[in-house]
Amino acid sequence: MSVKTLHPDYQIYSPKWRLVRDAVEGESAIKRVPERYLPEFVPKDPERYKRYVERAYFLGVTGRTRAAMSGMVFRKDPSYEIPEQLEELVFNADGAGTSIEHIAKEALGGVLDTGRHCFLLDYPTIDDSIDYETEQNIGARPLLLSYQAESLINWKYEKINGRRVLTLAVLVELVQDENKTNEFDHDVVKNYRVLRLRDGVYTQQMYDDGGQAKSEEFIPRVAGGMPLDHIPLYIVGAENNLPDIDDAPLYDLSVLNVAHYRNNADLEEAGFITGQPTLHMNIGETNPEVFAEQNPDGVQLGSRRGIITQGGSVELVQPEERSLLVQLKESKEKEMVGIGARLIQRGGPSETAEAARINASAESSTLDQVVNNLSYALTGALMDAGRFVGLAPQAVEEIRYDLNTDFFETDLDAQQLMALIQLGDVGILSRSLQREAIRKGRIHIPHETEDQDIDSEIAGTPL
C-alpha cells in the first residue's frame, strides 16, 4: 500500500461524481468522451457515429439548476462574527486573494455535485524559537484551503474516548512541475499532503508524484508553540458532516439529464434517417431498361422536371409527426421538472409567488441542510484559525460564519404588519425583533432570545 491508495468508498463514488460534474459543465464535457454517454454502433461505423454525436444536443438542466440554487443562497451576503485578528481572512482566505464568500460558493457547488467538499485550516511552518510577536511581524497567518471531493483520496477514523475522530487524511494537490526546463510549459504534477493524528498530536507530511516523501513529518503549532489535538480538516456533507460519503443532491437529476440526451440523440438520428421525404415510384408496365432509356438523367424532383412511364404512379412517403422517441424525451423533461429542474418548464404569469415556494419545497429543504453544514464547517475552520493566532478560548467560541438560508423574497402583508406593531405596543416584541421580522418577512422570536432580554430592551426604549 502506498500514499496513492484510494479509499474503497472513493472508488465507488468517483464515477458518480464525474457524471454530475460533466452534466453541470454541459455539452462540451458530455461530448468530450462521446462513447461515455452515447453507446457506439454495433458493428462499428465511425463516420456515422461521429454524425450521430454531432446532431445530438445536451439540454443543460443540471448546470442551470445548480446555478439557481447557488443564487438562492448568495442573494444575501453571509453574516459573520470574526475578531479583528482574522479580518484579513474574509477577503483573502487562502493567501491568493480568494475571499471566504468565494470559497463558500465553490464549496456549495461541490457539495451539490458530489455530496462532499473539504476545508483545511493550514498554518505556515515556523521555527520553534520564534515567539508569537515575531510571527505577527513576519506576516505569518492561517490559511483556509478548499479541496474538492476528488482531492480527498483516502481517510481513516478511529474511536477515541467514545468519539469518531479523523486520524488520517490524504489530499492530492496539483502543482507546477519543479523540474520543467521550459518556462512556458504548463505541466503539472501531483503532490500528496498527508494529515495524521499521532497520539493526539496533529502532523503533516508531503509526498511527491512518485509516492516518495518530500519532507519530514512535522507538527504545525498554534501560537505559543502548542500542537493541535485534532486534524483541522472539515469534511462537508450533503446530509451531515460525518465521515461517510453522502449522495450528491444533483445525482438523480444528472442521470435523468443524460438519459434525456440519449433519447435526443436517437430522435435526431431517426429524424435524419426517416424525416426527409422518400420518393416511392411505381413504373407500372414500363420495362426497367426502357425506363432508363426514356429517363437518361434519372429521377429528379422539382416542378420543371418530369419522368416518362407507362402507367404507374409517384408518391412521397413521410413518417408521422409523433413517435415513441418523442414521447420518451418529453416524459423525461417532465420528470426533470419534478426533481427540481423547473427552468425547463416554468409556470406562466398565473403562478403565484406562494405556488413557486411550494413547488420548490423539496429542493429548499435539501439546500437548507447543505447550507447549514457549510456554515458549521466554515465556523469550525475559522475557530481553528483563532487558535493558531492565539485568541482566548472565549473569543474563539464567539466566532461564526453563517450563509444565508432565506432563499425566497418574503414580505409581510398589511394585516401582519399591523399585528407586528400591536405586539410591540403591548410589550410582547422589542423594536429589534420587530425590525428583524420585517427583514425576514415573518414574525418569529429566536429560541435563544430570553424573555428577560426582550423585557430589558423594551424597558430601555424611549417612547
Side-chain angles (χ1 to χ4, degrees):
M1 307 292 276
S2 74
V3 72
K4 295 184 176 184
T5 301
L6 301 178
H7 191 285
D9 288 349
Y10 184 95
Q11 300 180 65
I12 293 171
Y13 279 89
S14 55
K16 297 181 179 181
W17 298 343
R18 182 179 63 190
L19 170 76
V20 183
R21 297 284 196 194
D22 287 348
V24 167
E25 186 176 341
E27 183 163 313
S28 60
I30 291 293
K31 291 187 175 181
R32 192 173 295 137
V33 184
E35 59 274 14
R36 183 179 293 161
Y37 300 111
L38 287 181
E40 293 187 275
F41 298 126
V42 179
K44 286 192 175 185
D45 187 340
E47 193 59 34
R48 180 188 169 194
Y49 181 75
K50 178 182 177 183
R51 300 287 180 263
Y52 174 64
V53 173
E54 287 176 348
R55 279 191 292 269
Y57 66 86
F58 182 78
L59 195 62
V61 174
T62 309
R64 292 183 212 164
T65 302
R66 184 212 212 231
M69 295 176 87
S70 180
M72 290 163 68
V73 176
F74 290 97
R75 74 184 192 90
K76 289 185 179 180
D77 293 336
S79 62
Y80 53 85
E81 292 289 339
I82 295 179
E84 183 180 352
Q85 296 92 320
L86 299 177
E87 282 184 350
E88 188 179 353
L89 283 174
V90 176
F91 308 104
N92 182 13
D94 61 354
T98 310
S99 67
I100 294 184
E101 183 174 343
H102 185 86
I103 287 176
K105 287 179 181 178
E106 179 190 55
L108 174 63
V111 177
L112 293 174
D113 292 352
T114 66
R116 167 171 275 203
H117 197 87
C118 304
F119 300 121
L120 173 65
L121 199 288
D122 198 27
Y123 198 72
T125 305
I126 302 296
D127 191 291
D128 290 348
S129 62
I130 296 179
D131 59 22
Y132 172 65
E133 185 177 350
T134 305
E135 286 185 28
Q136 301 307 299
N137 291 335
I138 63 177
R141 68 179 185 86
L143 301 175
L144 180 62
L145 306 180
S146 179
Y147 292 88
Q148 295 183 342
E150 294 87 345
S151 297
L152 180 61
I153 64 169
N154 201 1
W155 59 92
K156 285 184 180 179
Y157 282 81
E158 296 179 18
K159 205 163 200 178
I160 301 176
N161 298 326
R163 295 173 55 244
R164 291 183 75 183
V165 177
L166 182 67
T167 57
L168 174 72
V170 181
L171 295 163
V172 177
E173 300 176 345
L174 297 178
V175 298
Q176 291 290 329
D177 186 358
E178 297 174 355
N179 298 318
K180 67 179 182 178
T181 57
N182 189 327
E183 64 177 315
F184 302 108
D185 286 344
H186 296 278
D187 296 333
V188 295
V189 295
K190 291 180 180 178
N191 276 355
Y192 297 84
R193 187 191 295 258
V194 180
L195 316 176
R196 298 184 179 96
L197 193 66
R198 290 192 185 278
D199 300 322
V201 175
Y202 165 53
T203 72
Q204 269 199 41
Q205 190 171 11
M206 299 298 296
Y207 290 76
D208 63 21
D209 201 11
Q212 300 300 311
K214 289 183 64 175
S215 71
E216 297 294 328
E217 189 171 359
F218 64 93
I219 301 174
R221 299 182 183 277
V222 302
M226 294 296 294
L228 272 181
D229 62 357
H230 63 277
I231 297 176
L233 181 72
Y234 292 83
I235 303 174
V236 187
E239 298 174 15
N240 52 58
N241 292 354
L242 296 176
D244 301 323
I245 300 177
D246 296 333
D247 291 326
L250 291 177
Y251 177 71
D252 289 343
L253 180 59
S254 300
V255 170
L256 201 55
N257 207 169
V258 170
H260 177 272
Y261 168 63
R262 292 190 183 115
N263 281 156
N264 171 265
D266 291 341
L267 180 62
E268 292 294 323
E269 174 78 355
F272 176 76
I273 294 173
T274 66
Q276 302 179 52
T278 299
L279 180 67
H280 173 254
M281 185 170 59
N282 178 357
I283 63 174
E285 300 175 3
T286 305
N287 183 283
E289 288 77 11
V290 174
F291 177 82
E293 291 176 3
Q294 294 174 337
N295 300 276
D297 296 328
V299 178
Q300 299 184 32
L301 299 179
S303 60
R304 297 185 181 182
R305 298 287 182 179
I307 57 174
I308 302 171
T309 67
Q310 184 177 349
S313 62
V314 176
E315 64 177 333
L316 291 176
V317 180
Q318 291 181 285
E320 294 184 9
E321 182 178 355
R322 302 291 294 178
S323 72
L324 175 61
L325 287 172
V326 174
Q327 294 173 22
L328 288 172
K329 178 169 144 329
E330 292 179 348
S331 172
K332 287 182 176 60
E333 289 173 0
K334 291 177 181 178
E335 288 181 66
M336 284 191 282
V337 171
I339 289 177
R342 291 169 310 282
L343 291 172
I344 299 176
Q345 295 179 351
R346 295 190 64 87
S350 60
E351 182 181 44
T352 65
E354 184 61 27
R357 293 189 194 102
I358 293 171
N359 289 339
S361 60
E363 288 71 41
S364 295
S365 62
T366 299
L367 188 58
D368 193 68
Q369 205 164 24
V370 170
V371 169
N372 287 333
N373 291 344
L374 272 171
S375 297
Y376 180 82
L378 285 167
T379 297
L382 289 170
M383 290 172 72
D384 277 336
R387 295 183 183 99
F388 271 113
V389 300
L391 292 180
Q394 184 178 354
V396 169
E397 291 298 324
E398 292 174 354
I399 294 173
R400 66 174 184 83
Y401 193 92
D402 296 321
L403 299 176
N404 165 55
T405 54
D406 292 331
F407 303 139
F408 304 100
E409 289 292 347
T410 53
D411 295 304
L412 297 171
D413 58 31
Q415 186 177 356
Q416 291 171 321
L417 282 171
M418 182 58 66
L420 186 64
I421 293 170
Q422 291 172 346
L423 287 171
D425 290 343
V426 297
I428 301 297
L429 293 180
S430 62
R431 285 191 180 179
S432 64
L433 287 175
Q434 286 177 308
R435 290 167 180 158
E436 185 65 13
I438 293 171
R439 291 190 189 98
K440 291 186 175 295
R442 60 192 176 95
I443 301 174
H444 171 69
I445 300 177
H447 293 296
E448 64 272 14
T449 305
E450 300 289 343
D451 289 346
Q452 55 265 34
D453 296 332
I454 299 175
D455 295 338
S456 297
E457 183 180 348
I458 292 172
T461 302
L463 297 176

